[in-house]
Amino acid sequence: MRNYFLVVALLSITLFSCKKDDGLVLGGTPTPMGEIGNTFASSHNIPGLSTVSAEVTGFEDGVSIITGTGTLTNPDLVDLVNALAPIFPSKITVNGDEVSVDVSVRFTDKGIASVQPEGDLVIVKYDAKVGDVYTGKVDGKTITNKVVARSTDYDYFWDGFMIKVIEVESTGHVNGNLNKVTYYANHKFGLVGVKLLFDNDNTISASIYSDNIN
């Protein structure tokens, strides 16, 4: 059931679609991960999230548009969607239990960034060092993305084998009782995992797969 987590991942990226800090520029050359037609999937079945798809539907000036749709009844995720929809009305559409999310993302050989007219916010740089920080504003609140770990060995199980990852913790969230988002990224496979922690201590996490790689 690989597709079930994708709307969650897109929602978490939507949280970081905000203005960049001066100097925090991703750079690099676009990779096949951002090409039109590339699809994303997940390995975990989350109760209350089904019939999900996610695909790159547009590409212009190095920016990919990912469209994700799904049926959503999970209480924590419903609260998150309901909190984010008024903030991003052009990107999140809710029709009963059906949710559609559009996000703009920059995939390059240097890393991944969320994109809006106001600027980019880096999610991860592949040459990141532990302690690196990327910040930006969302709905007037400061979001902080901090590199908290970087593998020195193949210690992260993904798609049947072990890989090295960069772990980024994102804090400062005030929407939908979301406390923290943790990203796991790899220089070849891109975003390979996402974990959401809510104020009620519930967690939702899964591995992410892209048909195309960097």
Side-chain angles (χ1 to χ4, degrees), residues 45-63:
N45 183 349
I46 298 172
L49 180 63
S50 60
T51 60
V52 174
S53 65
E55 181 177 348
V56 178
T57 56
F59 180 84
E60 185 175 359
D61 295 331
V63 178

Side-chain angles (χ1 to χ4, degrees), residues 134-145:
Y134 322 111
T135 63
K137 295 286 186 178
V138 175
D139 196 30
K141 305 298 188 299
T142 298
I143 300 295
T144 301
N145 297 347

Side-chain angles (χ1 to χ4, degrees), residues 62-90:
V63 178
S64 302
I65 306 298
I66 306 175
T67 299
T69 61
T71 302
L72 184 62
T73 59
N74 181 285
D76 290 317
L77 297 180
V78 168
D79 287 347
L80 181 58
V81 168
N82 287 339
L84 291 175
I87 301 172
F88 304 101
S90 65

